[in-house]
Amino acid sequence: ADGELVQYHYGLKDLVTILFYIFIAIILHAVVQEYALDKISRRLHLSKVKHSKFNESGQLVAFHLTSVIWCLYVVVTEGYISNPRSLWENYPHVYLPYQVKFFYLCQLAYWLHTLPELYFQKVRKEEIPRQLRCIALYLLHIAGAYLLNLTRLGLILLLLQYFAEFFFHMARLVYFTDENNEKLFNVWAVVFVVTRLFTLTLYILVIGFGLPRVESQALDPERGNFFSFLFNNILFRMSVLLLVCLFQASVMWRFIHFQLRRWREYWNEQSSRKRAAAAATGTRQQTKLLKRDSGYHENGVVKAENGTSPRTKKLKSP
């Protein structure tokens, strides 16, 4: 009927939809690679290692930018940002609006399409474990939020994660074009810290205060209620928050370690340049002193600095 709001639930037919969009993602991946990244990399004359990283960051910049704009549009139009209480109110969120469901299916399709792309892109064996770990984490979190009816919380977390990742891979692209330009890495560092703080605050808000206040606290898998009865137990709730804090602390520790290593390499490079410049200046000064001491040649005759010959004149006998 006119004005009727249609909502959707997940089911086995989602697998067919995801399979279809996997092929769409492979085609779009090839288009970006063929008409953008390959042309730019040929002009830059990158090495094999840098060429692989350049392709990876180029693809992820396009994906993260698209996902950030799309996800921001979804959370604004659905009112999840203007009304933070909607993240836990009326849990479980079994029935989804069309754009929320479609966003999650496309996200799953993209990260699944990266598995065959490891073969198509001929990724080096050393890079495969790292990329597989990254793909598995994204699939675990996105599928978990989708199947456990935490889609609203998952949208906000994906928005924060993709926003920080966009700046990181954009900084890598700029670095490959100009190795002296690392300003975007500093911007990414600030954005990363801010998004981690927002992520931790959001976890505490939803898990610590939101879900325990849900009216339906009984375990009801048929209605999609998997967590409310657990979060009503303060011991379980504090344990989950402790695990979340420890995970975020480990992420921040890796980030700090990475920044310290990068700054140490930067300062070592600057000090080596200063030493090389000082050595070159000292060499030029020594060369000037040697010229002053030994005189200079003019028309095959060695002359002193004042233009006179350095040879002693012989006195003629009277």
Side-chain angles (χ1 to χ4, degrees):
D2 293 337
E4 183 181 358
L5 181 61
V6 179
Q7 292 185 322
Y8 299 84
H9 188 38
Y10 59 79
L12 292 177
K13 293 181 180 179
D14 288 346
L15 299 177
V16 181
T17 308
I18 291 173
L19 180 62
F20 172 76
Y21 283 103
I22 285 176
F23 293 117
I24 298 297
I26 292 175
I27 294 172
L28 294 177
H29 188 114
V31 169
V32 173
Q33 186 69 39
E34 179 74 20
Y35 293 99
L37 298 179
D38 286 345
K39 292 182 178 180
I40 297 174
S41 60
R42 279 195 293 266
R43 293 182 180 181
L44 296 177
H45 303 289
L46 300 174
S47 62
K48 290 184 178 180
V49 177
K50 289 184 177 181
H51 181 74
S52 176
K53 292 182 179 181
F54 180 85
N55 290 336
E56 177 190 358
S57 293
Q59 294 287 347
L60 289 175
V61 161
F63 169 71
H64 286 141
L65 180 61
T66 305
S67 297
V68 165
I69 296 174
W70 189 3
C71 188
L72 184 62
Y73 174 79
V74 172
V75 298
V76 169
T77 55
E78 295 296 331
Y80 299 153
I81 292 182
S82 59
N83 183 20
R85 295 181 62 182
S86 62
L87 297 179
W88 62 81
E89 281 184 340
N90 300 321
Y91 179 83
H93 308 131
V94 179
Y95 298 104
L96 308 175
Y98 170 77
Q99 59 180 354
V100 175
K101 180 181 176 66
F102 186 53
F103 177 81
Y104 269 94
L105 294 182
C106 289
Q107 292 294 314
L108 291 171
Y110 178 84
W111 289 110
L112 286 172
H113 109 279
T114 55
L115 295 174
E117 286 293 344
L118 295 176
Y119 173 76
F120 294 148
Q121 294 291 323
K122 298 180 180 179
V123 178
R124 296 184 304 125
K125 293 182 179 180
E126 298 81 4
E127 291 290 325
I128 289 179
R130 178 185 64 83
Q131 295 199 21
L132 285 177
R133 187 165 56 249
C134 178
I135 294 169
L137 287 174
Y138 273 112
L139 287 174
L140 178 64
H141 284 79
I142 296 172
Y146 183 65
L147 297 176
L148 299 177
N149 303 314
L150 292 169
T151 50
R152 300 181 183 182
L153 176 62
L155 282 173
I156 306 297
L157 294 177
L158 278 178
L159 178 61
L160 295 172
Q161 175 67 18
Y162 286 163
F163 187 68
E165 288 293 308
F166 168 75
F167 279 98
F168 173 72
H169 290 287
M170 194 66 196
R172 284 179 67 177
L173 290 181
V174 174
Y175 176 77
F176 289 140
T177 57
D178 182 11
E179 293 187 355
N180 295 322
N181 191 348
E182 296 186 358
K183 294 180 180 179
L184 268 182
F185 278 110
N186 298 327
V187 176
W188 165 71
V190 176
V191 172
F192 182 85
V193 174
V194 173
T195 53
R196 290 303 100 191
L197 292 176
F198 271 105
T199 300
L200 185 59
T201 304
L202 194 61
Y203 271 118
I204 295 174
L205 181 65
V206 175
I207 296 175
F209 300 98
L211 289 177
R213 297 182 180 181
V214 175
E215 295 179 0
S216 177
Q217 296 289 345
L219 176 63
D220 191 357
E222 294 183 359
R223 293 186 62 250
N225 194 341
F226 299 101
F227 291 108
S228 296
F229 79 103
L230 291 175
F231 288 110
N232 196 30
N233 187 338
I234 188 172
L235 181 61
F236 178 82
R237 187 163 69 246
M238 296 304 296
S239 300
V240 172
L241 288 176
L242 179 61
L243 290 176
V244 169
C245 292
L246 290 176
F247 177 74
Q248 295 297 324
S250 66
V251 172
M252 286 299 300
W253 169 250
R254 292 178 59 187
F255 168 76
I256 294 172
H257 180 71
F258 170 77
Q259 290 296 325
L260 291 176
R261 184 181 62 185
R262 189 170 68 89
W263 288 338
R264 185 166 56 249
E265 292 175 355
Y266 173 77
W267 287 115
N268 289 337
E269 183 180 357
Q270 292 295 322
S271 61
S272 63
R273 288 181 179 178
K274 289 181 180 179
R275 287 195 298 267
T281 304
T283 303
R284 285 196 297 268
Q285 290 178 353
Q286 290 179 0
T287 304
K288 290 180 180 180
L289 290 175
L290 288 174
K291 285 183 178 180
R292 289 180 180 178
D293 293 340
S294 60
Y296 63 92
H297 291 76
E298 184 178 334
N299 295 329
V301 180
V302 178
K303 292 189 176 182
E305 195 69 27
N306 56 2
T308 60
S309 175
R311 297 179 182 177
T312 57
K313 294 183 179 180
K314 294 182 179 180
L315 297 176
K316 295 182 180 180
S317 58

